[in-house]
Amino acid sequence: MDERIFEKVKKIVSTQLSVAEDEVKKDSSFVDDLGADSLDLVELIMALEEEFAIQISDEEAQGIRTVGEAVDFIEQKMV
Amino acid sequence: MDLKGKSAIVTGGSRGIGRAICLKLAKLGADVAINYYPGLKEEAEELKKEIEKIGSRGYPIEADISKMDEAKKLIEQAVATMGKVDILVNNAGITRDSLILRMSEDDWESVLAVNLKGVFNCSQAVAKYMVKERKGVIINISSVVGLRGNIGQANYAASKAGVIGFTKSLAKELGSRGIRVNAVAPGFIETGMTQGFPQEYREKILKQIPLGRFGLPKDVASLVAFLASDEASYITGEVISVNGGIIL
Ligand SMILES: NC(=O)c1ccc[n+]([C@@H]2O[C@H](COP(=O)([O-])OP(=O)(O)OC[C@H]3O[C@@H](n4cnc5c(N)ncnc54)[C@H](O)[C@@H]3O)[C@@H](O)[C@H]2O)c1
């Protein structure tokens, strides 16, 4: 897993969901561990799209449930 | 009640009800982005001057809000020039009246494109911004016709009823982000839209208005200003009528 991507994702997740950065672990689930609601998830996806200049379809977004999954997805998209 | 320090966008703001809304918001201290349809620049510039006389700031911005890219640019430009947007009033609207048996596909599509899709276009663009700010107010101008229907206005009634469903859904979706979304349903108001009515038709409608007169643009503007203000901070998902008690 790309640590630089993880660090950036961690920052975004922490601001977007108003949680401390050290609460954001690779296996944290956005909904179950970090308390995201459906609108948070959409906002988060949009923030990631903006930060990494990528497109994430709704279907792809459905598959991103944890911080680690987000990092992996971004890594794949960026190569 | 005041709107000091707030910034507003009013679509179709250069004339009629939109113009009265711009003036009212400005009078209460808000900066106002006056959206105008291509070709109405002079009107919008004249209104800007009037707003400056009141002591506020007006910013004319051209856009056909039925087009998504233009609506997006309108919101972006308004945020860029005013520094922020607290209030969006979706006021732009058109009529293309005809009995259903004679209604052309174009009559249907053009009314829906401005009155309903235009509201979607501007609201979506502004919601992306307001969600980040965790606050904001959206006010959609519907119509008594959207609540009760009217002969010769199936397209218009459908668009205005659509605005009500849209308003209630957005209120639910965005409430948790401190964004209020309401609709205003005017009755018959003296503007370009109603001026062309034949005399007999006017009289027929007047008989159905307990207050005995058509409304004025400022009657609608007062309600919009109230909903835009913090005085209305617990009101969302509502449709409020301003129609002289009309029995349509
Ligand atoms: N006048 C009434 O009796 C009445 C009653 C109920 C609801 N309304 C609603 O109030 C709103 C204002 O109507 P009004 O009576 O002031 O009419 P109006 O015709 O005087 O004003 C409508 C404004 O919308 C603008 N507009 C139209 N298409 C546009 C587009 N694609 N992009 C940007 N601007 C556009 C026009 O240029 C105009 O400035 C409308 O939504 C109308 O449906 C009016």
Side-chain angles (χ1 to χ4, degrees):
Chain A
M1 185 176 299
D2 189 319
E3 287 302 317
R4 276 169 314 173
I5 295 182
F6 174 60
E7 285 307 315
K8 278 191 186 170
V9 171
K10 189 152 102 176
K11 270 218 171 60
I12 291 172
V13 170
S14 130
T15 6
Q16 205 70 53
L17 304 182
S18 315
V19 291
E21 273 190 42
D22 54 15
E23 267 182 65
V24 183
K25 308 266 165 42
K26 284 175 186 162
D27 62 356
S28 306
S29 151
F30 296 122
V31 175
D32 300 332
D33 301 319
L34 304 174
D37 67 15
S38 58
L39 197 52
D40 285 322
L41 291 178
V42 176
E43 282 186 75
L44 188 59
I45 293 295
M46 285 169 59
L48 295 173
E49 286 182 328
E50 206 174 308
E51 172 71 32
F52 296 99
I54 54 171
Q55 293 284 330
I56 307 175
S57 72
D58 285 350
E59 269 173 20
E60 290 167 334
Q62 302 267 321
I64 305 176
R65 282 155 314 192
T66 66
V67 176
E69 282 169 1
V71 176
D72 289 342
F73 179 85
I74 293 161
E75 239 182 297
Q76 278 173 32
K77 276 265 171 164
M78 303 242 296
V79 287
Chain B
M1 186 169 100
D2 80 73
L3 296 170
K4 286 196 191 85
K6 309 241 185 207
S7 300
I9 305 175
V10 180
T11 67
S14 65
R15 62 169 69 166
I17 294 172
R19 183 173 192 280
I21 293 170
C22 288
L23 284 169
K24 182 74 185 182
L25 300 182
K27 214 170 272 175
L28 292 170
D31 286 348
V32 185
I34 311 156
N35 158 246
Y36 63 93
Y37 189 74
L40 298 178
K41 184 170 176 150
E42 260 170 54
E43 244 175 46
E45 290 292 342
E46 186 267 337
L47 177 58
K48 169 193 160 86
K49 281 190 200 127
E50 206 150 320
I51 286 174
E52 282 168 355
K53 268 188 231 151
I54 303 171
S56 275
R57 278 169 296 194
Y59 304 96
I61 303 177
E62 179 178 303
D64 174 349
I65 51 93
S66 68
K67 306 217 167 81
M68 179 56 107
D69 55 333
E70 293 193 30
K72 270 190 191 161
K73 268 191 224 141
L74 162 67
I75 306 296
E76 275 166 25
Q77 217 175 313
V79 172
T81 41
M82 300 189 294
K84 61 179 182 132
V85 171
D86 306 289
I87 301 156
L88 167 67
V89 184
N90 283 306
N91 163 79
I94 59 168
T95 52
R96 288 276 205 97
D97 297 356
S98 145
L99 294 172
I100 189 65
L101 296 181
R102 302 285 299 168
M103 188 173 285
S104 71
E105 198 176 351
D106 187 54
D107 290 339
W108 175 267
E109 278 172 358
S110 49
V111 167
L112 269 289
V114 177
N115 298 10
L116 189 54
K117 180 151 178 290
V119 172
F120 161 71
N121 291 343
C122 295
S123 301
Q124 183 179 56
V126 93
K128 284 183 185 167
Y129 169 82
M130 287 177 173
V131 156
K132 283 191 193 141
E133 297 296 310
R134 294 286 189 268
K135 66 177 162 66
V137 182
I138 300 175
I139 298 162
N140 300 320
I141 309 300
S142 177
S143 168
V144 64
V145 171
L147 290 165
R148 310 197 201 166
N150 197 20
I151 290 172
Q153 293 199 304
N155 50 356
Y156 183 78
S159 73
K160 293 299 185 180
V163 164
I164 291 173
F166 181 82
T167 299
K168 294 185 176 179
S169 303
L170 250 63
K172 289 186 174 161
E173 277 188 34
L174 303 177
S176 67
R177 298 303 188 270
I179 301 168
R180 295 189 293 108
V181 189
N182 290 293
V184 166
F188 287 82
I189 310 296
E190 301 278 10
T191 69
M193 199 172 263
T194 49
Q195 244 147 38
F197 289 180
Q199 196 54 34
E200 316 93 81
Y201 184 57
R202 285 182 74 92
E203 273 157 27
K204 196 175 143 211
I205 294 169
L206 268 181
K207 284 204 190 99
Q208 303 176 55
I209 304 176
L211 291 184
R213 62 169 177 92
F214 275 48
L216 298 172
K218 69 176 169 64
D219 294 323
V220 180
S222 307
L223 174 57
V224 170
F226 167 68
L227 287 173
S229 78
D230 295 339
E231 301 288 313
S233 58
Y234 201 52
I235 302 178
T236 196
E238 281 301 312
V239 186
I240 303 184
S241 290
V242 46
N243 62 21
I246 198 168
I247 312 142
L248 196 66

Short mmCIF file of all heavy atoms in Angstrom, two decimals, chain B residues 11-18 35-38 40 43 63-67 90-95 114-115 141-145 156 160 184-194 197, ligand 1:
data_model
loop_
_atom_site.label_atom_id
_atom_site.label_comp_id
_atom_site.label_asym_id
_atom_site.label_seq_id
_atom_site.Cartn_x
_atom_site.Cartn_y
_atom_site.Cartn_z
N THR B 11 -32.20 33.70 -9.51
CA THR B 11 -32.23 33.40 -10.95
C THR B 11 -33.39 34.14 -11.61
O THR B 11 -34.42 34.38 -10.97
CB THR B 11 -32.36 31.88 -11.22
OG1 THR B 11 -33.65 31.43 -10.79
CG2 THR B 11 -31.27 31.10 -10.50
N GLY B 12 -33.20 34.53 -12.85
CA GLY B 12 -34.22 35.32 -13.54
C GLY B 12 -34.54 36.56 -12.74
O GLY B 12 -35.70 36.94 -12.60
N GLY B 13 -33.49 37.22 -12.24
CA GLY B 13 -33.70 38.28 -11.25
C GLY B 13 -33.92 39.67 -11.81
O GLY B 13 -34.16 40.60 -11.04
N SER B 14 -33.87 39.84 -13.11
CA SER B 14 -33.86 41.21 -13.64
C SER B 14 -35.24 41.85 -13.75
O SER B 14 -35.37 43.05 -13.90
CB SER B 14 -33.16 41.25 -15.00
OG SER B 14 -33.89 40.52 -15.95
N ARG B 15 -36.30 41.04 -13.70
CA ARG B 15 -37.65 41.63 -13.83
C ARG B 15 -38.67 40.86 -12.99
O ARG B 15 -38.33 39.84 -12.39
CB ARG B 15 -38.09 41.63 -15.29
CG ARG B 15 -38.19 40.23 -15.88
CD ARG B 15 -38.88 40.25 -17.21
NE ARG B 15 -38.05 40.92 -18.22
CZ ARG B 15 -38.26 40.85 -19.53
NH1 ARG B 15 -39.28 40.17 -20.00
NH2 ARG B 15 -37.48 41.47 -20.38
N GLY B 16 -39.87 41.41 -12.94
CA GLY B 16 -40.98 40.70 -12.28
C GLY B 16 -40.71 40.40 -10.81
O GLY B 16 -40.15 41.20 -10.07
N ILE B 17 -41.11 39.20 -10.42
CA ILE B 17 -40.97 38.78 -9.03
C ILE B 17 -39.50 38.71 -8.64
O ILE B 17 -39.12 39.11 -7.54
CB ILE B 17 -41.67 37.41 -8.82
CG1 ILE B 17 -43.18 37.55 -9.03
CG2 ILE B 17 -41.36 36.84 -7.44
CD1 ILE B 17 -43.97 36.24 -9.04
N GLY B 18 -38.66 38.23 -9.55
CA GLY B 18 -37.22 38.10 -9.27
C GLY B 18 -36.61 39.44 -8.91
O GLY B 18 -35.80 39.56 -7.98
N ASN B 35 -29.03 37.01 -11.58
CA ASN B 35 -28.89 36.23 -12.81
C ASN B 35 -29.90 36.75 -13.84
O ASN B 35 -31.05 37.01 -13.50
CB ASN B 35 -29.14 34.75 -12.55
CG ASN B 35 -29.54 33.99 -13.82
OD1 ASN B 35 -30.66 33.51 -13.94
ND2 ASN B 35 -28.65 33.93 -14.78
N TYR B 36 -29.44 36.90 -15.07
CA TYR B 36 -30.38 37.30 -16.13
C TYR B 36 -30.19 36.44 -17.36
O TYR B 36 -29.10 35.94 -17.62
CB TYR B 36 -30.21 38.79 -16.48
CG TYR B 36 -28.85 39.12 -17.05
CD1 TYR B 36 -28.63 39.13 -18.42
CD2 TYR B 36 -27.79 39.42 -16.20
CE1 TYR B 36 -27.38 39.41 -18.93
CE2 TYR B 36 -26.53 39.70 -16.70
CZ TYR B 36 -26.33 39.70 -18.07
OH TYR B 36 -25.08 39.95 -18.58
N TYR B 37 -31.28 36.27 -18.07
CA TYR B 37 -31.27 35.50 -19.31
C TYR B 37 -30.53 36.29 -20.38
O TYR B 37 -30.66 37.52 -20.44
CB TYR B 37 -32.72 35.24 -19.73
CG TYR B 37 -32.87 34.27 -20.86
CD1 TYR B 37 -32.68 32.91 -20.66
CD2 TYR B 37 -33.20 34.72 -22.14
CE1 TYR B 37 -32.81 32.02 -21.70
CE2 TYR B 37 -33.34 33.83 -23.19
CZ TYR B 37 -33.13 32.47 -22.96
OH TYR B 37 -33.26 31.59 -24.00
N PRO B 38 -29.74 35.59 -21.22
CA PRO B 38 -29.00 36.29 -22.28
C PRO B 38 -29.89 37.28 -23.03
O PRO B 38 -31.00 36.93 -23.43
CB PRO B 38 -28.55 35.16 -23.20
CG PRO B 38 -28.42 33.97 -22.29
CD PRO B 38 -29.45 34.15 -21.21
N LEU B 40 -30.86 40.26 -21.61
CA LEU B 40 -31.50 41.17 -20.65
C LEU B 40 -30.48 41.94 -19.80
O LEU B 40 -30.78 42.39 -18.69
CB LEU B 40 -32.46 40.40 -19.75
CG LEU B 40 -33.63 39.71 -20.46
CD1 LEU B 40 -34.49 38.93 -19.48
CD2 LEU B 40 -34.49 40.74 -21.21
N GLU B 43 -31.45 45.54 -18.39
CA GLU B 43 -32.35 45.46 -17.25
C GLU B 43 -31.59 45.15 -15.96
O GLU B 43 -31.82 45.76 -14.91
CB GLU B 43 -33.30 44.29 -17.49
CG GLU B 43 -34.74 44.65 -17.64
CD GLU B 43 -35.55 43.42 -18.00
OE1 GLU B 43 -35.39 42.33 -17.39
OE2 GLU B 43 -36.37 43.55 -18.91
N ALA B 63 -26.77 33.97 -17.55
CA ALA B 63 -26.78 32.51 -17.68
C ALA B 63 -28.17 32.03 -18.06
O ALA B 63 -29.16 32.53 -17.54
CB ALA B 63 -26.36 31.84 -16.37
N ASP B 64 -28.22 31.06 -18.96
CA ASP B 64 -29.46 30.34 -19.23
C ASP B 64 -29.44 29.14 -18.29
O ASP B 64 -28.72 28.18 -18.52
CB ASP B 64 -29.47 29.89 -20.69
CG ASP B 64 -30.67 29.01 -21.02
OD1 ASP B 64 -31.37 28.56 -20.08
OD2 ASP B 64 -30.91 28.75 -22.21
N ILE B 65 -30.25 29.23 -17.23
CA ILE B 65 -30.15 28.23 -16.16
C ILE B 65 -30.72 26.86 -16.57
O ILE B 65 -30.56 25.90 -15.83
CB ILE B 65 -30.82 28.71 -14.85
CG1 ILE B 65 -32.24 29.20 -15.07
CG2 ILE B 65 -30.00 29.80 -14.21
CD1 ILE B 65 -33.29 28.19 -14.87
N SER B 66 -31.36 26.79 -17.73
CA SER B 66 -31.83 25.48 -18.19
C SER B 66 -30.65 24.64 -18.68
O SER B 66 -30.80 23.44 -18.92
CB SER B 66 -32.88 25.63 -19.28
OG SER B 66 -32.30 26.13 -20.46
N LYS B 67 -29.50 25.27 -18.87
CA LYS B 67 -28.30 24.54 -19.33
C LYS B 67 -27.37 24.29 -18.14
O LYS B 67 -26.94 25.24 -17.47
CB LYS B 67 -27.57 25.36 -20.39
CG LYS B 67 -28.46 25.77 -21.55
CD LYS B 67 -27.72 25.73 -22.86
CE LYS B 67 -28.67 25.82 -24.04
NZ LYS B 67 -29.08 27.23 -24.30
N ASN B 90 -34.40 30.13 -6.56
CA ASN B 90 -34.69 29.64 -7.91
C ASN B 90 -36.01 30.25 -8.36
O ASN B 90 -37.09 29.74 -8.04
CB ASN B 90 -34.79 28.11 -7.90
CG ASN B 90 -33.43 27.45 -7.84
OD1 ASN B 90 -32.56 27.74 -8.67
ND2 ASN B 90 -33.23 26.58 -6.87
N ASN B 91 -35.91 31.36 -9.06
CA ASN B 91 -37.09 32.12 -9.46
C ASN B 91 -37.38 32.04 -10.96
O ASN B 91 -38.53 32.18 -11.36
CB ASN B 91 -36.89 33.58 -9.03
CG ASN B 91 -37.85 34.53 -9.73
OD1 ASN B 91 -39.01 34.63 -9.37
ND2 ASN B 91 -37.37 35.19 -10.79
N ALA B 92 -36.36 31.83 -11.78
CA ALA B 92 -36.55 31.86 -13.24
C ALA B 92 -37.65 30.89 -13.63
O ALA B 92 -37.70 29.76 -13.14
CB ALA B 92 -35.26 31.49 -13.96
N GLY B 93 -38.54 31.33 -14.49
CA GLY B 93 -39.62 30.45 -14.93
C GLY B 93 -40.28 30.98 -16.18
O GLY B 93 -40.22 32.18 -16.47
N ILE B 94 -40.89 30.08 -16.95
CA ILE B 94 -41.61 30.49 -18.15
C ILE B 94 -42.95 29.76 -18.23
O ILE B 94 -43.15 28.74 -17.56
CB ILE B 94 -40.81 30.19 -19.45
CG1 ILE B 94 -40.50 28.68 -19.55
CG2 ILE B 94 -39.51 31.00 -19.49
CD1 ILE B 94 -39.96 28.27 -20.92
N THR B 95 -43.85 30.29 -19.06
CA THR B 95 -45.09 29.58 -19.38
C THR B 95 -45.17 29.38 -20.89
O THR B 95 -44.63 30.20 -21.66
CB THR B 95 -46.34 30.37 -18.95
OG1 THR B 95 -46.26 31.69 -19.49
CG2 THR B 95 -46.48 30.45 -17.45
N VAL B 114 -36.74 24.79 -18.14
CA VAL B 114 -36.44 25.98 -17.34
C VAL B 114 -36.95 25.79 -15.91
O VAL B 114 -36.20 25.93 -14.94
CB VAL B 114 -37.09 27.26 -17.94
CG1 VAL B 114 -36.82 28.47 -17.05
CG2 VAL B 114 -36.57 27.51 -19.35
N ASN B 115 -38.23 25.45 -15.78
CA ASN B 115 -38.87 25.49 -14.46
C ASN B 115 -38.46 24.35 -13.53
O ASN B 115 -38.46 24.53 -12.32
CB ASN B 115 -40.40 25.44 -14.61
CG ASN B 115 -40.95 26.64 -15.37
OD1 ASN B 115 -40.20 27.42 -15.95
ND2 ASN B 115 -42.26 26.78 -15.40
N ILE B 141 -39.29 28.95 -6.26
CA ILE B 141 -40.59 29.56 -6.55
C ILE B 141 -41.44 28.55 -7.33
O ILE B 141 -41.17 28.26 -8.49
CB ILE B 141 -40.45 30.88 -7.34
CG1 ILE B 141 -39.46 31.85 -6.66
CG2 ILE B 141 -41.83 31.52 -7.50
CD1 ILE B 141 -39.83 32.27 -5.25
N SER B 142 -42.44 28.01 -6.64
CA SER B 142 -43.40 27.11 -7.27
C SER B 142 -44.60 27.95 -7.70
O SER B 142 -44.41 29.10 -8.14
CB SER B 142 -43.80 26.02 -6.28
OG SER B 142 -44.76 25.17 -6.83
N SER B 143 -45.80 27.45 -7.55
CA SER B 143 -47.00 28.22 -7.94
C SER B 143 -48.24 27.54 -7.41
O SER B 143 -48.27 26.32 -7.21
CB SER B 143 -47.09 28.28 -9.46
OG SER B 143 -48.37 28.76 -9.84
N VAL B 144 -49.29 28.33 -7.21
CA VAL B 144 -50.60 27.78 -6.83
C VAL B 144 -51.03 26.75 -7.88
O VAL B 144 -51.69 25.76 -7.58
CB VAL B 144 -51.65 28.91 -6.70
CG1 VAL B 144 -51.90 29.61 -8.03
CG2 VAL B 144 -52.97 28.37 -6.16
N VAL B 145 -50.59 26.98 -9.11
CA VAL B 145 -50.94 26.07 -10.21
C VAL B 145 -50.29 24.69 -10.02
O VAL B 145 -50.84 23.66 -10.41
CB VAL B 145 -50.56 26.72 -11.56
CG1 VAL B 145 -50.70 25.73 -12.71
CG2 VAL B 145 -51.41 27.96 -11.82
N TYR B 156 -46.85 23.58 -17.25
CA TYR B 156 -46.42 24.48 -16.17
C TYR B 156 -46.76 23.88 -14.80
O TYR B 156 -45.93 23.87 -13.88
CB TYR B 156 -47.13 25.82 -16.37
CG TYR B 156 -46.77 26.90 -15.38
CD1 TYR B 156 -45.57 27.60 -15.51
CD2 TYR B 156 -47.63 27.24 -14.34
CE1 TYR B 156 -45.25 28.61 -14.61
CE2 TYR B 156 -47.33 28.25 -13.45
CZ TYR B 156 -46.13 28.94 -13.59
OH TYR B 156 -45.82 29.94 -12.70
N LYS B 160 -44.18 22.89 -11.80
CA LYS B 160 -44.25 23.53 -10.49
C LYS B 160 -44.56 22.52 -9.38
O LYS B 160 -44.14 22.69 -8.23
CB LYS B 160 -45.29 24.65 -10.50
CG LYS B 160 -44.90 25.84 -11.39
CD LYS B 160 -43.60 26.49 -10.92
CE LYS B 160 -43.24 27.74 -11.70
NZ LYS B 160 -41.99 28.36 -11.22
N VAL B 184 -42.04 28.44 -2.29
CA VAL B 184 -43.05 29.48 -2.15
C VAL B 184 -44.02 29.30 -3.32
O VAL B 184 -43.60 29.11 -4.46
CB VAL B 184 -42.38 30.87 -2.22
CG1 VAL B 184 -43.40 31.96 -2.43
CG2 VAL B 184 -41.55 31.11 -0.97
N ALA B 185 -45.32 29.31 -3.02
CA ALA B 185 -46.31 29.12 -4.07
C ALA B 185 -47.17 30.37 -4.23
O ALA B 185 -48.17 30.54 -3.54
CB ALA B 185 -47.19 27.91 -3.75
N PRO B 186 -46.77 31.28 -5.13
CA PRO B 186 -47.57 32.49 -5.34
C PRO B 186 -48.87 32.17 -6.07
O PRO B 186 -48.94 31.21 -6.83
CB PRO B 186 -46.68 33.37 -6.23
CG PRO B 186 -45.32 32.75 -6.21
CD PRO B 186 -45.55 31.29 -5.96
N GLY B 187 -49.86 33.01 -5.83
CA GLY B 187 -51.09 32.95 -6.62
C GLY B 187 -50.89 33.78 -7.87
O GLY B 187 -49.83 33.70 -8.49
N PHE B 188 -51.88 34.61 -8.24
CA PHE B 188 -51.72 35.44 -9.43
C PHE B 188 -51.08 36.78 -9.06
O PHE B 188 -51.63 37.53 -8.26
CB PHE B 188 -53.05 35.62 -10.14
CG PHE B 188 -53.46 34.35 -10.84
CD1 PHE B 188 -54.09 33.32 -10.14
CD2 PHE B 188 -53.18 34.17 -12.19
CE1 PHE B 188 -54.43 32.13 -10.78
CE2 PHE B 188 -53.53 32.99 -12.84
CZ PHE B 188 -54.15 31.97 -12.13
N ILE B 189 -49.92 37.03 -9.63
CA ILE B 189 -49.13 38.20 -9.29
C ILE B 189 -49.00 39.09 -10.53
O ILE B 189 -48.82 38.58 -11.64
CB ILE B 189 -47.71 37.76 -8.83
CG1 ILE B 189 -47.77 36.66 -7.75
CG2 ILE B 189 -46.89 38.96 -8.34
CD1 ILE B 189 -48.42 37.03 -6.43
N GLU B 190 -49.07 40.40 -10.33
CA GLU B 190 -48.95 41.34 -11.46
C GLU B 190 -47.52 41.38 -11.98
O GLU B 190 -46.66 42.05 -11.40
CB GLU B 190 -49.32 42.77 -11.01
CG GLU B 190 -50.71 42.95 -10.44
CD GLU B 190 -51.77 43.11 -11.53
OE1 GLU B 190 -51.48 42.89 -12.72
OE2 GLU B 190 -52.91 43.45 -11.14
N THR B 191 -47.26 40.66 -13.05
CA THR B 191 -45.94 40.73 -13.71
C THR B 191 -46.17 40.50 -15.20
O THR B 191 -47.30 40.30 -15.64
CB THR B 191 -44.99 39.60 -13.23
OG1 THR B 191 -45.48 38.35 -13.72
CG2 THR B 191 -44.87 39.54 -11.72
N GLY B 192 -45.06 40.51 -15.94
CA GLY B 192 -45.14 40.23 -17.37
C GLY B 192 -45.87 38.92 -17.65
O GLY B 192 -46.57 38.78 -18.66
N MET B 193 -45.72 37.97 -16.73
CA MET B 193 -46.32 36.65 -16.94
C MET B 193 -47.84 36.70 -16.97
O MET B 193 -48.49 35.92 -17.64
CB MET B 193 -45.83 35.71 -15.84
CG MET B 193 -45.98 34.25 -16.15
SD MET B 193 -45.17 33.20 -14.89
CE MET B 193 -43.60 32.86 -15.66
N THR B 194 -48.43 37.63 -16.21
CA THR B 194 -49.90 37.67 -16.11
C THR B 194 -50.52 38.88 -16.82
O THR B 194 -51.73 38.96 -16.93
CB THR B 194 -50.32 37.74 -14.61
OG1 THR B 194 -49.57 38.77 -13.97
CG2 THR B 194 -50.07 36.44 -13.89
N PHE B 197 -53.10 38.49 -19.77
CA PHE B 197 -54.40 37.85 -19.60
C PHE B 197 -55.52 38.72 -20.16
O PHE B 197 -55.57 39.92 -19.90
CB PHE B 197 -54.71 37.62 -18.11
CG PHE B 197 -53.90 36.55 -17.45
CD1 PHE B 197 -54.10 36.27 -16.10
CD2 PHE B 197 -52.95 35.82 -18.14
CE1 PHE B 197 -53.36 35.28 -15.46
CE2 PHE B 197 -52.20 34.83 -17.52
CZ PHE B 197 -52.41 34.56 -16.17
N1 LIG C 1 -46.69 36.05 -12.04
C1 LIG C 1 -47.41 35.12 -11.45
O1 LIG C 1 -48.61 35.23 -11.34
C2 LIG C 1 -46.74 33.92 -10.88
C3 LIG C 1 -47.49 33.05 -10.09
C4 LIG C 1 -46.92 31.92 -9.53
C5 LIG C 1 -45.57 31.66 -9.77
N2 LIG C 1 -44.85 32.52 -10.55
C6 LIG C 1 -43.44 32.17 -10.75
O2 LIG C 1 -42.62 33.23 -10.32
C7 LIG C 1 -41.39 33.20 -11.05
C8 LIG C 1 -41.13 34.59 -11.63
O3 LIG C 1 -42.15 34.87 -12.57
P1 LIG C 1 -42.61 36.35 -12.99
O4 LIG C 1 -44.06 36.42 -12.81
O5 LIG C 1 -41.74 37.35 -12.35
O6 LIG C 1 -42.36 36.24 -14.56
P2 LIG C 1 -41.41 37.10 -15.52
O7 LIG C 1 -41.63 36.52 -16.87
O8 LIG C 1 -41.62 38.54 -15.28
O9 LIG C 1 -39.96 36.70 -14.98
C9 LIG C 1 -39.37 35.46 -15.22
C10 LIG C 1 -37.88 35.68 -15.24
O10 LIG C 1 -37.21 34.43 -15.51
C11 LIG C 1 -36.24 34.66 -16.50
N3 LIG C 1 -35.91 33.44 -17.24
C12 LIG C 1 -36.72 32.71 -18.05
N4 LIG C 1 -36.04 31.67 -18.57
C13 LIG C 1 -34.78 31.73 -18.06
C14 LIG C 1 -33.61 30.93 -18.21
N5 LIG C 1 -33.60 29.85 -19.01
N6 LIG C 1 -32.47 31.29 -17.57
C15 LIG C 1 -32.46 32.40 -16.77
N7 LIG C 1 -33.55 33.18 -16.58
C16 LIG C 1 -34.69 32.85 -17.21
C17 LIG C 1 -36.85 35.72 -17.39
O11 LIG C 1 -35.85 36.35 -18.17
C18 LIG C 1 -37.46 36.63 -16.35
O12 LIG C 1 -36.50 37.54 -15.86
C19 LIG C 1 -41.55 32.14 -12.10
O13 LIG C 1 -40.94 30.94 -11.64
C20 LIG C 1 -43.04 31.96 -12.17
O14 LIG C 1 -43.38 30.69 -12.65
C21 LIG C 1 -45.40 33.62 -11.10
#
